[in-house]
Amino acid sequence: MNKNLLNTLEFDRPNIIDQMGDNSQKQAFFLVIDGMEIGRLIPLSKNRQVLGRDPICDVILSDDGISRGHAEVWLIAEERVLVRDIGSTNGTYVNGTRIKEVMLEEGGKILLGRRTILKFVLQDQIDEFYQRQMYESSVRDGLTKAYNRKFLDNQLASSTSFSRRHRLPLSFMIFDLDHFKQVNDTHGHVTGDLLLIAITAAVGRMIRAEDVFARYGGEEFAVLAMGIGAAGGRALAERIRQRVAEVRVLSLDGEEEGVGVTVSIGVVTVPPGKVGEPPAIVAQADANLYLAKQQGRDRVVASELD
């Protein structure tokens, strides 16, 4: 959704009225109606698009039962999509029937993996804007716009299964802003909110597109990094620690140097082939965070999964 469209939908009533009556402006999408990413809109193209779990796929779907390369689709016409299974383990089901290749009409449904269901829909710009807003509000924290706890939990469950099957390392970290309550008590909650937003923006620019950065709760955040081993996980945490210490925001009480905090980070790495369940991973990262605080804060404590 581009910024011009956003402005049009919010402020330009005549254009909204025109769009409401213009059916020719509808575009083709898959709408995720069940699964871990429910509400997500996937734009369709007349070029070949591969659906699967592999990061090189055109459409990456988080579901443990989806193959690395699961199916391919083409938008043949405005109201038809060609769907072809490409040797998936669990099969591709269209409207309840396992298929090798089929032409999908508007309203048709595809089941991939254990429970990911895609529905073929045609939507105008207003529908698209609404659906994207609904999806973003369901997976993002309202203040910082980092991912929320629910999205992180889903991604951690999916990523641990994927890393185990493909013998890839996985690093997970929880970090807590040191003495953040003092910021709110001394400078006010507005300043505290501005600091949370600024830190989120700074950390978000440091991580890879495939990493998951989420607000874990209050002044706690988490990062999930697939394919990152113990050394890389610790190094990333150290860079985050150093970057957070540099962030400053102006306060309403006129603090000249700006207001900032340090951060304590607990990191756990799941080595390749190790069986790591999400509760154990979170518990060990949290225990390492506690050790970082005990040892004086503003530091990283990291370990491999026990």
Side-chain angles (χ1 to χ4, degrees):
M1 175 63 60
N2 61 50
K3 187 175 181 180
N4 289 336
L5 176 56
L6 177 64
N7 291 335
T8 297
L9 291 176
E10 289 185 341
F11 302 117
D12 195 339
R13 189 168 182 271
N15 281 342
I16 292 176
I17 293 172
D18 289 342
Q19 290 169 15
M20 290 173 64
D22 187 0
N23 291 327
S24 67
Q25 297 300 314
K26 289 188 175 182
Q27 298 181 20
F29 298 90
F30 281 145
L31 172 63
V32 182
I33 61 172
D34 196 13
M36 295 174 62
E37 298 178 272
I38 188 167
R40 176 185 172 190
L41 267 184
I42 302 167
L44 296 175
S45 167
K46 292 185 178 179
N47 297 321
R48 175 178 180 263
Q49 292 173 279
V50 177
L51 284 59
R53 286 183 49 89
D54 197 299
I56 67 171
C57 288
D58 302 293
V59 179
I60 304 169
L61 296 167
S62 299
D63 183 324
D64 185 43
I66 292 177
S67 297
R68 298 190 69 176
H70 196 105
E72 54 190 10
V73 298
W74 289 264
L75 181 64
I76 302 300
E78 292 303 321
E79 299 181 2
R80 292 191 301 164
V81 174
L82 178 64
V83 181
R84 178 181 297 156
D85 185 86
I86 50 176
S88 66
T89 301
N90 294 320
T92 300
Y93 292 79
V94 171
N95 297 328
T97 302
R98 185 165 184 167
I99 61 95
K100 291 185 176 180
E101 179 177 307
V102 72
M103 195 69 72
L104 188 67
E105 304 289 337
E106 181 185 5
K109 300 178 182 68
I110 306 172
L111 171 64
L112 304 170
R114 302 188 189 281
R115 56 170 295 187
T116 298
I117 299 177
L118 311 179
K119 181 178 180 180
F120 176 34
V121 297
L122 298 176
Q123 296 195 335
D124 60 24
Q125 291 183 325
I126 296 175
D127 291 332
E128 179 189 354
F129 174 77
Y130 168 77
Q131 193 62 53
R132 290 194 187 280
Q133 290 293 98
M134 290 295 291
Y135 178 67
E136 285 297 304
S137 68
S138 73
V139 300
R140 297 281 183 180
D141 172 59
L143 175 67
T144 64
K145 306 309 177 186
Y147 284 113
N148 59 28
R149 174 74 176 271
K150 177 182 177 182
F151 183 85
L152 174 69
D153 289 344
N154 286 338
Q155 292 298 310
L156 182 58
S158 175
S159 296
T160 51
S161 296
F162 185 83
S163 65
R164 182 168 59 247
R165 285 201 314 273
H166 300 286
R167 301 189 63 81
L168 294 172
L170 177 152
S171 286
F172 178 75
M173 66 189 72
I174 301 176
F175 62 89
D176 183 88
L177 307 187
D178 297 328
H179 305 298
F180 183 73
K181 185 176 183 299
Q182 292 182 9
V183 174
N184 286 331
D185 292 346
T186 304
H187 304 284
H189 287 273
V190 172
T191 299
D193 286 350
L194 291 175
L195 188 56
L196 289 172
I197 293 168
I199 289 172
T200 300
V203 175
R205 288 191 291 267
M206 295 177 56
I207 62 175
R208 305 171 302 173
E210 60 267 35
D211 296 335
V212 179
F213 175 42
R215 188 178 183 186
Y216 202 67
E219 63 269 25
E220 283 191 335
F221 294 83
V223 175
L224 171 62
M226 176 74 76
I228 300 294
R234 176 183 282 276
L236 175 59
E238 283 289 352
R239 290 197 300 272
I240 289 174
R241 184 190 65 80
Q242 294 168 13
R243 181 68 187 93
V244 169
E246 298 169 352
V247 174
R248 292 289 186 275
V249 297
L250 297 177
S251 65
L252 299 180
D253 60 8
E255 175 65 47
E256 292 185 2
E257 295 182 358
V259 177
V261 292
T262 57
V263 65
S264 302
I265 307 179
V267 187
V268 61
T269 297
V270 183
K274 175 82 173 184
V275 177
E277 297 299 330
I281 295 170
V282 171
Q284 191 162 331
D286 202 43
N288 287 345
L289 171 59
Y290 181 75
L291 286 175
K293 291 179 179 181
Q294 275 194 322
Q295 294 172 12
R297 304 179 190 267
D298 189 21
R299 65 194 62 224
V300 173
V301 172
S303 64
E304 291 194 347
L305 186 67
D306 294 336

